[in-house]
Amino acid sequence: MAFVAALKDPVVADLKNSVEDWKGLSVETFGDLLLNDTLVITRGTNSSDRLTYHIYLFERILLCCKPNNSKPKKGLWISKKPETSSLQGPLLLLKGRIFMNDVTRVIPFTRANPNSRDWQYAMVLCFKGDGQEETFSVYFDDPGTMDTWVKLINLQSEAMKYHA
């Protein structure tokens, strides 16, 4: 069973213990963890607000989490690294979730970065939101990482639509 195997993954076990409020979601239903990374995103098509999130791609869902920067509760020591959180308490806040069957399009793009000589590698993730299509962009350091995320999201999105 993929669900049982996923919970044996140390990253998934750590994630399960690190999120303060799962908002009614159950990690056991996500499927296997396929990718995770700390990435910069922007919401919408015209947003200049760049936010850094830890993004987890599972078979059935994509999660966006950010560090819980609030003051620790009395008696808790909180590490700045989510990887060590299994020893302490909730370190992450669940800021967004997209079910793979709600993904409508993934658009990769590459362009020159206006602030440097480097290139920007990004994907625009389009998904069914509250009554309309919503988007956010995810930025990558290299084209290979971007391609991997795009391919796996497309693959999982199609698989979930096929099984729905």
Side-chain angles (χ1 to χ4, degrees), residues 62-162:
L62 182 135
L63 303 174
C64 295
C65 299
K66 75 172 195 168
N68 182 357
N69 293 327
S70 64
K71 290 185 179 181
K73 294 177 183 167
K74 188 175 182 180
L76 281 182
W77 173 82
I78 296 184
S79 167
K80 292 183 179 183
K81 292 186 177 183
E83 294 80 19
T84 62
S85 64
S86 59
L87 302 174
Q88 305 313 320
L91 296 177
L92 296 173
L93 299 172
L94 180 61
K95 298 305 286 181
R97 61 195 179 271
I98 299 170
F99 293 97
M100 287 295 103
N101 60 341
D102 288 336
V103 173
T104 56
R105 292 179 288 157
V106 182
I107 306 163
F109 67 90
T110 302
R111 69 175 179 211
N113 184 342
N115 299 323
S116 73
R117 291 184 167 185
D118 296 331
W119 290 86
Q120 279 185 329
Y121 305 99
M123 70 176 181
V124 177
L125 184 63
C126 307
F127 58 97
K128 297 175 200 166
D130 296 327
Q132 63 184 6
E133 185 175 78
E134 296 184 33
T135 65
F136 73 89
S137 298
V138 182
Y139 297 87
F140 302 93
D141 291 331
D142 62 85
T145 304
M146 176 188 67
D147 290 343
T148 300
W149 279 84
V150 168
K151 286 175 187 173
L152 281 174
I153 291 173
N154 278 324
L155 182 68
Q156 291 311 120
S157 172
E158 288 304 314
M160 290 300 105
K161 289 172 187 164
Y162 179 75

Side-chain angles (χ1 to χ4, degrees), residues 12-31:
V12 176
D14 195 50
L15 174 66
K16 183 176 181 180
N17 295 324
S18 296
V19 173
E20 188 169 345
D21 178 6
W22 278 104
K23 302 177 184 184
L25 296 174
S26 175
V27 175
E28 292 81 4
T29 64
F30 297 168

